[in-house]
Amino acid sequence: MRECFDPNVYKKDWQYQEGDLTVTRTCQWSAPGCHQGCSVLFYTDKDGKLVKIEGDPNSAVTDGRLCMRCLAMVEAVYHPDRIIHPMKRAKEDRGFDKWEQITMDEAYDLVIEMVNDTTEKYGAKSICTGAGTGRNATWQSNVLGHGGFGTPNDNAGLLAGNCCYTPRMQAMNALFGSTFIADCGQLNEKRFDEPEYRRPDLFIIWGNNPVRANADGFYGHWIIDCMRRGSELFVVDPQVTWLSAHAKMFLQVRPGSDAALALAICNVMIEEDLYDHEFVECWCYGFDEFKERVKEYTPAMAAELCWVSEEKIYEAARLIANAGVTTLQWGVAVDQTKWANGTSQAIASVQILTGNIDNPGGFVAIDFGYVQSDIRENVSKQLGPEVRKDRLGDDGNWGALNAIGKGGHAVPEAILHAAETGEPYPVKMLFLCSTTAFTNMAGQARRVYDVYKEMDHVVVCDLFMTPTAMACADLFIPMAMSCERDGVRGWYTPLRSIVKVTQTGEAIGDEQMMLELGKRMNPDLFYWDDVPEMLEFCTNNMATVPIEVSLEELREKVIIYPKFEYNKFRTGKLRFDGELGFNTISGRVELFCNMYNNVGMDPLPYHKEPPESPYSTPELFEQYPLVLTTGRRSWEFFHSEHRQLKSMREFHPDPIFEINPADAEQAGIKEGDWAVLENSHGSCKLRAHLTDTMLKGVVSAEHGWWFPEKDPEEPSLFGLWESNINCLTVQGDFGPSGYGSSYKTQLCKVYKAD
Ligand SMILES: Nc1nc2c(c(=O)[nH]1)N[C@H]1C(S)=C(S)[C@@H](COP(=O)(O)OP(=O)(O)OC[C@H]3O[C@@H](n4cnc5c(=O)[nH]c(N)nc54)[C@H](O)[C@@H]3O)O[C@H]1N2
Ligand SMILES: Nc1nc2c(c(=O)[nH]1)N[C@H]1C(S)=C(S)[C@@H](COP(=O)(O)OP(=O)(O)OC[C@H]3O[C@@H](n4cnc5c(=O)[nH]c(N)nc54)[C@H](O)[C@@H]3O)O[C@H]1N2
Ligand SMILES: [Mo]
């Protein structure tokens, strides 16, 4: 490892003094929200107040780097808008700023009262818990719901078609039997000095902007570390990104056409005999059927659909096939189309044909190391199958993979349907941790808002008063920032400590709240004395990463790397039975997918047009002549968060949409104009940013916008409806699997606002 900083200043002890300040080496996860878990130095003063945060140069994970949101942490922690005491409100005052501060004990009693009331009237399953994306808050409310409230129903964040990572994860599960990620050397502490490691020659970056998003445990700058060592990039995106500007080749595609492009690339790789014969013949299943299928996807056909040239598709296939070691880094754009399954399968197939599977620098199978999932599993085991009984979405009406429970949670659309119709039973109480549904997560904001308003009881556990909490919460429980909670970070490897260094008001960590409420409701199950004891139990009982470690040891070591191995399919380490090969039905990588076939889905990858597109609905396209993709991430915000931070709003004051200058001219829009984006589902208002980086015919609009500075009460709700792009998206139009939704494949028109 390099040491270009002063080791006398940046020490390796987990905690040390620097003048009057105590420095703690640990990781920052959430709150505020993020997927990463960057290694940080928290500086606290004599009174235990956080005064500064820096990146930890002694971390092999992030090497001292931090993003702008993390650098502004002190501003977030001590923000005057933060809610730091529990508050309740009468049901008739929903939507109005009429809160009454209560004690934490009163808050717990109130939750129990609400749970009992709902259970007596309708049964516990009428309670739904909700958690958002991969913050350090995805499991606690689920576990509490299952083990404390006694409901099988989680997932009331209502992400349409579970279209975040679930489709890709499921494709990997069905095709490979494990989860795979790009190997940037991050799985070993020695990184590039690990003798077995070699960097990829080519990254395939598909529908993803990892340097901004650092999504799903994958730190984007790992790619840059590889680029510095010679890796090249192939990027597929409708917009020029920093990475695509540095790419060997960039294909600027129409949103929603990715599967056609991937299958055409496969077509050329097979036609020109450029695929890896050893891998395909020895380790893949269903090549002949796959080969037949991709014959339909000629470069000429794909070129027309994707809005790229035929030559470029040939060139892409040759580049990928001849590159040497290639790896795949894909993003949520793959999931955010109705046909997410076929698309994930198609893109994964490109990688499979290169044969770079579980090899150094390739697409590698990882131990999930997902502490949260393991806790859930452990609780479920103790509760037995009863807790799953009658879960919403298990009745077979919500897509083929949901029908066999592959989603792992209640199905968002089934929850929504139950709440709207009372079928098969009503939904009457929501317990929400880390999600704002109609502000940001759900696809059809107004519809979800209507449903939430009708609930008997709503509890929101959050940091700030959000539009969702203001609209419908009866009880608000104030949650802790990352630096205010002890925890364990496990999302892939390595394992990282999360150390509490300060406390603000009565703010409480999600796990502590879960434990305290759990103890009151089901003490046999929530038997741990305190959070550290519970976390130690969890860490030492992870199904996926066998590490025995005390919390104290983890705290002192800061980061622990479990041993990582390559080529596990060649040594019998991927399959449940220890045989060679992959953990799939055939034991091979399935180009023809048996699991899909067994549940009545198309076993082969395919392209279908989005439900609304220039080709599937040409008449609608006349009315709404632009393709709309939404929610590309920005540096300053994590979803609906960070809008109250001055330092972020200085860089990014307003919601924007990006549009090619030629399209803007046609619509009579100039740089900075407020404009209305409208389609058959609804409309909202954003500011135009004219940029040549955007593919002509496509607009890209931001998501998650509300305005903490505006009137908090109904009907404004912090200006929620002004710029809410999820007024233009849908909920309930998922693909055959039950996954996928059109967040990134809508149509719209654009005109200047008054
Ligand atoms: N700063 C920040 N980081 C985040 C988040 C955040 O809100 N803010 N959110 C987190 C979450 S939950 C997630 S899921 C991840 C997502 O992170 P990413 O996977 O990077 O997702 P996006 O930024 O939505 O889109 C990435 C790229 O896809 C392109 N794109 C849009 N439509 C299409 C399409 O149809 N096809 C193709 N090929 N490309 C398309 C966009 O132009 C963009 O450059 O980020 C996580 N990280
Ligand atoms: N149009 C469009 N919509 C999208 C997307 C898109 O690309 N386009 N992306 C979708 C995707 S991929 C996702 S994953 C969803 C994400 O949607 P969500 O995960 O629901 O994100 P938020 O709406 O920001 O709500 C998160 C709330 O949790 C709070 N919070 C932060 N950290 C913690 C914590 O540790 N504990 C607790 N209890 N609370 C915390 C925050 O203050 C915030 O109010 O959005 C989806 N919505
Ligand atoms: Mo996401």
Side-chain angles (χ1 to χ4, degrees):
M1 288 288 294
R2 64 184 178 81
E3 281 198 5
C4 58
F5 48 86
D6 185 347
N8 295 316
V9 175
Y10 294 104
K11 298 198 170 73
K12 288 186 178 167
D13 314 69
W14 77 274
Q15 200 166 50
Y16 55 92
Q17 284 300 121
E18 201 182 296
D20 284 347
L21 300 178
T22 304
V23 186
T24 306
R25 292 180 60 220
T26 183
C27 106
Q28 157 74 33
W29 187 0
S30 84
C34 185
H35 277 185
Q36 240 304 320
C38 289
S39 300
V40 296
L41 305 174
F42 284 130
Y43 291 77
T44 43
D45 68 11
K46 286 198 291 278
D47 306 321
K49 249 189 114 172
L50 184 74
V51 296
K52 191 169 81 162
I53 179 170
E54 272 186 29
D56 179 5
N58 279 310
S59 159
V61 183
T62 44
D63 245 328
R65 289 170 288 207
L66 273 192
C67 78
M68 64 194 295
R69 299 189 308 281
C70 216
L71 290 168
M73 196 55 63
V74 176
E75 187 187 347
V77 172
Y78 301 112
H79 198 283
D81 287 359
R82 240 190 106 180
I83 312 284
I84 54 172
H85 300 287
M87 303 192 302
K88 71 171 182 183
R89 181 173 62 178
K91 200 172 155 190
E92 59 271 21
D93 290 333
R94 281 184 184 174
F96 298 94
D97 201 6
K98 294 184 177 170
W99 297 93
E100 177 194 340
Q101 186 177 325
I102 56 174
T103 66
M104 204 53 105
D105 275 331
E106 286 170 330
Y108 293 144
D109 288 345
L110 197 51
V111 173
I112 294 167
E113 239 174 71
M114 292 173 178
V115 168
N116 289 342
D117 178 58
T118 313
T119 306
E120 274 160 30
K121 287 186 186 141
Y122 309 99
K125 50 187 196 247
S126 288
I127 306 167
C128 281
T129 59
T133 187
R135 303 179 183 83
N136 188 8
T138 53
W139 54 276
Q140 298 90 336
S141 59
N142 295 336
V143 172
L144 181 62
H146 300 324
F149 307 164
T151 173
N153 292 317
D154 45 28
N155 216 358
L158 300 183
L159 179 69
N162 271 329
C163 67
C164 174
Y165 210 23
T166 302
R168 278 172 290 152
M169 291 279 286
Q170 266 319 318
M172 290 190 276
N173 181 258
L175 270 56
F176 300 101
S178 324
T179 301
F180 282 68
I181 59 171
D183 179 19
C184 302
Q186 75 272 27
L187 297 158
N188 293 299
E189 189 162 14
K190 288 201 232 150
R191 301 279 304 270
F192 301 104
D193 294 337
E194 172 66 38
E196 238 190 315
Y197 183 70
R198 59 106 74 226
R199 56 124 185 88
D201 294 300
L202 186 77
F203 281 87
I204 300 172
I205 297 176
W206 207 306
N208 180 227
N209 193 359
V211 291
R212 273 193 194 167
N214 304 300
D216 307 308
F218 186 92
Y219 184 59
H221 275 71
W222 291 332
I223 294 178
I224 294 171
D225 293 339
C226 290
M227 288 164 70
R228 287 188 173 134
R229 287 162 177 81
S231 298
E232 294 186 308
L233 314 177
F234 166 77
V235 179
V236 182
D237 201 299
Q239 184 168 20
V240 179
T241 61
W242 187 89
L243 286 172
S244 76
H246 291 77
K248 175 114 177 167
M249 188 173 181
F250 169 43
L251 292 188
Q252 201 164 8
V253 292
R254 174 178 63 97
S257 71
D258 297 279
L261 176 63
L263 292 172
I265 289 174
C266 292
N267 173 307
V268 177
M269 286 172 82
I270 293 172
E271 288 295 314
E272 298 192 356
D273 198 16
L274 298 173
Y275 63 95
D276 183 327
H277 280 263
E278 191 266 344
F279 190 76
V280 168
E281 275 145 36
C282 301
W283 301 104
C284 291
Y285 174 86
F287 179 68
D288 293 337
E289 292 90 340
F290 178 81
K291 187 176 163 182
E292 268 315 294
R293 172 62 59 89
V294 302
K295 275 194 184 142
E296 301 165 26
Y297 293 90
T298 60
M301 178 256 218
E304 203 173 312
L305 290 175
C306 304
W307 300 357
V308 300
S309 74
E310 208 179 319
E311 297 73 56
K312 278 208 162 185
I313 296 177
Y314 281 103
E315 213 184 297
R318 291 168 194 149
L319 171 70
I320 290 167
N322 295 325
V325 176
T326 62
T327 189
L328 172 63
Q329 171 58 30
W330 48 0
V332 81
V334 177
D335 309 320
Q336 294 190 335
T337 153
K338 173 169 179 168
W339 312 107
N341 270 81
T343 307
S344 307
Q345 223 177 331
I347 296 169
S349 299
V350 174
Q351 181 66 27
I352 293 167
L353 293 186
T354 73
N356 286 288
I357 302 296
D358 215 23
N359 54 327
F363 200 44
V364 291
I366 41 125
D367 303 316
F368 205 43
Y370 203 177
V371 180
Q372 300 103 305
S373 305
D374 283 312
I375 298 175
R376 237 170 63 113
E377 287 306 305
N378 285 330
V379 172
S380 301
K381 251 183 254 156
Q382 293 178 63
L383 290 171
E386 264 306 290
V387 78
R388 268 287 299 276
K389 199 167 168 291
D390 297 331
R391 189 172 72 174
L392 289 169
D394 282 357
D395 59 9
N397 296 324
W398 307 95
L401 292 178
N402 281 330
I404 56 168
K406 280 282 169 191
H409 301 271
V411 175
E413 282 73 13
I415 294 175
L416 194 56
H417 176 76
E420 285 174 335
T421 63
E423 296 297 331
Y425 52 81
V427 172
K428 291 292 181 181
M429 174 173 169
L430 299 173
F431 187 88
L432 307 172
C433 282
S434 80
T435 180
T436 70
F438 55 83
T439 306
N440 172 60
M441 196 171 198
Q444 213 167 341
R446 281 277 181 190
R447 180 173 165 202
V448 172
Y449 165 85
D450 288 343
V451 158
Y452 272 35
K453 290 288 274 189
E454 287 303 309
M455 291 290 143
D456 284 1
H457 306 290
V458 178
V459 182
V460 168
C461 309
D462 208 303
L463 288 297
F464 294 95
M465 186 55 61
T466 64
T468 302
M470 181 56 81
C472 58
D474 307 303
L475 172 66
F476 188 107
I477 300 182
M479 305 313 286
M481 295 281 179
S482 194
C483 58
E484 297 163 353
R485 60 199 289 202
D486 284 315
V488 176
R489 156 79 189 194
W491 191 347
Y492 309 147
T493 51
L495 206 61
R496 281 157 261 179
S497 71
I498 298 174
V499 179
K500 172 170 174 165
V501 298
T502 188
Q503 170 72 40
T504 307
E506 293 175 272
I508 189 171
D510 293 76
E511 41 291 310
Q512 190 169 350
M513 178 196 55
M514 172 195 98
L515 189 56
E516 300 215 6
L517 269 167
K519 273 181 174 305
R520 284 164 167 84
M521 304 190 82
N522 189 353
D524 288 347
L525 200 66
F526 295 89
Y527 58 82
W528 304 282
D529 279 339
D530 52 27
V531 167
E533 191 188 315
M534 178 183 74
L535 289 172
E536 198 161 297
F537 166 84
C538 299
T539 312
N540 291 336
N541 285 280
M542 288 195 291
T544 43
V545 186
I547 319 180
E548 278 282 324
V549 64
S550 74
L551 226 54
E552 216 170 288
E553 210 179 321
L554 176 61
R555 175 183 293 234
E556 279 170 21
K557 290 192 168 151
V558 187
I559 303 169
I560 296 178
Y561 284 80
K563 179 145 181 45
F564 179 75
E565 286 177 52
Y566 291 109
N567 290 312
K568 299 177 278 296
F569 63 100
R570 296 180 194 269
T571 55
K573 288 187 177 151
L574 273 189
R575 278 185 63 80
F576 72 99
D577 56 7
E579 295 290 318
L580 298 192
F582 294 83
N583 208 16
T584 55
I585 293 172
S586 64
R588 296 173 183 231
V589 172
E590 300 201 345
L591 287 164
F592 172 103
C593 180
N594 282 302
M595 184 202 288
Y596 292 174
N597 201 36
N598 292 348
V599 298
M601 286 165 55
D602 191 335
L604 293 163
Y606 56 87
H607 166 82
K608 281 203 170 94
E609 274 302 303
E612 294 175 14
S613 93
Y615 306 109
S616 61
T617 53
E619 280 142 47
L620 204 65
F621 183 58
E622 264 175 43
Q623 213 177 330
Y624 302 110
L626 293 163
V627 174
L628 169 67
T629 176
T630 69
R632 67 104 187 85
R633 280 37 176 166
S634 48
W635 307 105
E636 297 86 355
F637 310 119
F638 196 81
H639 294 293
S640 74
E641 295 189 63
H642 300 98
R643 297 301 187 294
Q644 52 286 101
L645 299 190
K646 250 193 186 149
S647 51
M648 297 302 120
R649 292 294 286 285
E650 248 171 51
F651 286 96
H652 199 145
D654 301 310
I656 60 166
F657 70 99
E658 287 154 299
I659 183 168
N660 187 286
D663 294 323
E665 196 185 337
Q666 205 154 43
I669 287 166
K670 297 202 180 57
E671 175 69 22
D673 280 351
W674 283 96
V676 178
L677 269 63
E678 185 183 310
N679 65 15
S680 58
H681 310 289
S683 68
C684 73
K685 205 171 73 174
L686 301 93
R687 282 188 95 151
H689 176 48
L690 278 51
T691 168
D692 288 317
T693 62
M694 187 52 71
L695 180 61
K696 202 173 158 317
V698 180
V699 294
S700 173
E702 291 182 340
H703 73 312
W705 271 94
W706 59 292
F707 306 89
E709 66 277 15
K710 291 194 178 172
D711 180 4
E713 299 193 325
E714 290 274 15
S716 155
L717 294 175
F718 300 102
L720 173 65
W721 302 110
E722 294 171 23
S723 303
N724 190 333
I725 197 67
N726 289 357
C727 293
L728 286 81
T729 57
V730 297
Q731 182 102 26
D733 197 12
F734 45 78
S737 58
Y739 309 150
S741 193
S742 308
Y743 286 95
K744 294 213 187 325
T745 59
Q746 290 290 344
L747 295 176
C748 75
K749 68 176 173 186
V750 172
Y751 55 91
K752 208 173 156 181
D754 300 334

